[in-house]
Amino acid sequence: MNLLKLNQLAKGKRGRISRVDGDDGISIRLMEMGLIAGEVVEYVGSAPFGQPATYLTRGFRLALRPEESSRIEVELVN
């Protein structure tokens, strides 16, 4: 199993969420946006200067800051 943080995904790569760290408001908001265990997320790209980064999941795009995406652990998907 190859686990890494969502913000470590390379452009165009996909990962299956294994967990979201924390139980504070940010973590709850991430899960409310559909970032829950089992969902597949693709790193689409980032704005100039590297943030926010854009991810595709469930047919919509999300822009996340590094402090948000680093809370999400994913397993690489081929």
Side-chain angles (χ1 to χ4, degrees):
M1 186 180 301
N2 195 0
L3 295 176
L4 60 156
K5 297 295 184 180
L6 183 59
N7 63 336
Q8 296 173 320
L9 274 181
K11 187 175 181 178
K13 295 294 184 182
R14 299 182 320 146
R16 184 177 314 280
I17 297 173
S18 60
R19 69 180 197 172
V20 177
D21 294 334
D23 58 357
D24 60 358
I26 293 173
S27 297
I28 291 170
R29 185 172 65 88
L30 292 171
M31 291 186 276
E32 287 175 344
M33 290 191 298
L35 298 169
I36 57 176
E39 289 297 325
V40 174
V41 180
E42 178 181 343
Y43 176 44
V44 177
S46 62
F49 305 111
Q51 61 175 316
T54 303
Y55 300 92
L56 179 65
T57 186
R58 295 180 165 198
F60 64 91
R61 291 174 184 242
L62 289 170
L64 300 175
R65 294 174 292 187
E67 58 268 25
E68 297 165 332
S69 57
S70 66
R71 293 171 175 242
I72 301 169
E73 187 176 81
V74 297
E75 176 185 355
L76 280 178
V77 174
N78 295 325

